[in-house]
């Protein structure tokens, strides 16, 4: 696992350097050619570079050990970065939609050959970055958001290349706006999904667990009368924590510990990594899985 993470971090650093190079090249190319598409793409590439750097730093921070202040560790650093990255991704997509509309309404003359040359360099470099992170894209929201930044910029580079070819061959300026709209809508959809999931984790929304099935599973354990007052949340993207109250028959502590161990063992099949159980006898009046008080 450590070697795997080391390989991922190395690829991310290389992609960061590559994207900063593309950003500088597209700024120069955009200013010289008069291409708004290249300048817009340079902004997109710069956001990609910052996304990759932030994702890399989040992985480094997430590897730190737990301590007295951060008893759960630093795993949510990756979720925070995924949230910021996806929010920026949605913002860039909206910006591109506005720019595409402006360009469609008021097309401007562009140096097609220079635009095409710089766009091809950007496309090639973006493809390398996408291939470097492709196999790691589904490991976490953080890496996936960085990967989507790169993928969206690769598609954006395709649009710029297409626009350059159309300008050189047919002087068709509007095609760049149409392709940009299609790409932006794709970016918007993908970015929104990551944004939504990262907000759910940060707001401690319950992961997809069947509480009724869990309640039935716990109550089927000998000595257990009722299970209620459920709380479930994610520390990181995949680590689920769960706590509940369990009403039991009168029993010695040694037997009670056996009940707790049995509950922990059974809940592993639900993907729950950490379980906290509060044993009681006739304490809570509300025996539902989710209790209704504000201070639960």
């Amino acid at each position: 696992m450590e070697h795997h993470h080391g390989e991922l971090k190395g690829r991310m650093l290389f992609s960061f350097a590559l994207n900063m190079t593309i950003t500088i090249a597209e700024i120069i190319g955009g200013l010289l050619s008069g291409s708004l598409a290249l300048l817009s793409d340079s902004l997109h590439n710069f956001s990609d570079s910052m996304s990759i750097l932030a994702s890399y730093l989040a992985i480094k921070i997430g590897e730190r050990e737990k301590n007295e202040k951060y008893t759960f560790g630093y795993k949510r650093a990756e979720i925070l970065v995924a949230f910021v990255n996806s929010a920026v991704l949605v913002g860039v997509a909206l910006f591109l939609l506005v720019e595409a509309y402006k360009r469609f309404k008021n097309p401007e003359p562009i140096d097609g050959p220079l635009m095409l040359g710089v766009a091809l360099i950007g496309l090639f470099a973006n493809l390398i970055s996408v291939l470097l992170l492709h196999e790691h894209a589904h490991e976490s929201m953080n890496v996936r958001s960085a990967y989507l930044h790169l993928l969206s910029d690769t598609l954006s580079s395709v649009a710029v290349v297409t626009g350059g070819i159309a300008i050189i061959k047919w002087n068709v300026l509007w095609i760049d706006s149409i392709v940009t709209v299609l790409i932006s809508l794709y970016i918007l959809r993908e970015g929104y999904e990551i944004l939504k999931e990262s907000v759910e984790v940060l707001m401690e929304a319950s992961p997809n667990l069947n509480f009724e099935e869990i309640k039935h599973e716990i109550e089927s354990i000998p000595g257990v009368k009722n299970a209620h007052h459920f709380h479930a949340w994610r520390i990181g993207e995949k680590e689920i924590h769960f706590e509940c109250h369990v009403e039991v028959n009168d029993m010695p502590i040694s037997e009670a510990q056996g009940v707790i161990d049995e509950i922990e063992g059974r809940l592993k099949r639900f993907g729950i990594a950490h379980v906290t159980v509060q044993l009681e006898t006739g304490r809570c009046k509300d025996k539902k899985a989710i209790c209704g008080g504000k201070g639960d």
Side-chain angles (χ1 to χ4, degrees), residues 107-175:
E108 298 178 6
I110 297 170
D111 185 339
L114 179 57
M115 173 186 172
L116 179 61
V118 176
L120 284 170
I121 294 171
L123 175 60
F124 179 70
N126 274 309
L127 278 173
I128 293 174
S129 295
V130 166
L131 291 173
L132 283 172
L133 294 186
H134 177 71
E135 66 180 272
H136 301 278
H138 299 289
E139 292 177 8
S140 72
M141 272 191 282
N142 176 39
V143 178
R144 190 160 77 250
S145 64
Y147 173 78
L148 276 174
H149 269 275
L150 293 171
L151 182 61
S152 67
D153 209 52
T154 302
L155 294 172
S156 182
S157 294
V158 170
V160 179
V161 168
T162 303
I165 293 172
I167 289 167
I168 293 170
K169 292 183 69 70
W170 306 292
N171 198 34
V172 181
L173 302 178
W174 54 263
I175 192 170

Side-chain angles (χ1 to χ4, degrees), residues 276-293:
T276 301
V277 179
Q278 178 175 312
L279 296 182
E280 58 188 33
T281 55
R283 180 172 177 267
C284 290
K285 294 180 180 179
D286 193 340
K287 305 297 185 183
K288 294 182 293 184
I290 306 297
C291 297

Side-chain angles (χ1 to χ4, degrees), residues 32-175:
L32 292 177
S33 67
S35 169
L36 180 61
L38 278 179
L39 288 174
S40 298
D41 204 42
S42 71
L43 174 63
H44 198 178
N45 262 303
F46 180 72
S47 74
D48 288 347
S49 302
M50 294 302 101
S51 166
I52 295 166
L53 181 61
S55 296
Y56 170 82
L57 292 174
I59 291 174
K60 291 285 289 181
I61 293 170
E63 291 172 348
R64 293 181 181 178
E65 296 293 328
K66 299 175 184 178
N67 54 53
E68 290 184 1
K69 186 172 181 62
Y70 295 97
T71 57
F72 285 111
Y74 294 81
K75 294 178 182 177
R76 279 205 175 163
E78 290 195 53
I79 305 299
L80 282 168
V81 169
F83 169 77
V84 173
N85 280 347
S86 54
V88 169
L89 200 62
V90 169
V92 168
L94 293 173
F95 171 78
L96 289 174
L97 284 172
V98 172
E99 290 303 308
Y101 173 76
K102 289 179 181 178
R103 169 163 303 198
F104 188 79
K105 295 286 287 183
N106 299 296
E108 298 178 6
I110 297 170
D111 185 339
L114 179 57
M115 173 186 172
L116 179 61
V118 176
L120 284 170
I121 294 171
L123 175 60
F124 179 70
N126 274 309
L127 278 173
I128 293 174
S129 295
V130 166
L131 291 173
L132 283 172
L133 294 186
H134 177 71
E135 66 180 272
H136 301 278
H138 299 289
E139 292 177 8
S140 72
M141 272 191 282
N142 176 39
V143 178
R144 190 160 77 250
S145 64
Y147 173 78
L148 276 174
H149 269 275
L150 293 171
L151 182 61
S152 67
D153 209 52
T154 302
L155 294 172
S156 182
S157 294
V158 170
V160 179
V161 168
T162 303
I165 293 172
I167 289 167
I168 293 170
K169 292 183 69 70
W170 306 292
N171 198 34
V172 181
L173 302 178
W174 54 263
I175 192 170

Side-chain angles (χ1 to χ4, degrees), residues 228-247:
H228 53 278
H229 205 112
F230 289 2
H231 291 285
W233 67 99
R234 286 183 286 178
I235 297 301
E237 183 177 0
K238 298 173 183 177
E239 185 178 334
I240 299 175
H241 285 226
F242 177 87
E243 66 177 30
C244 66
H245 291 191
V246 175
E247 184 178 10

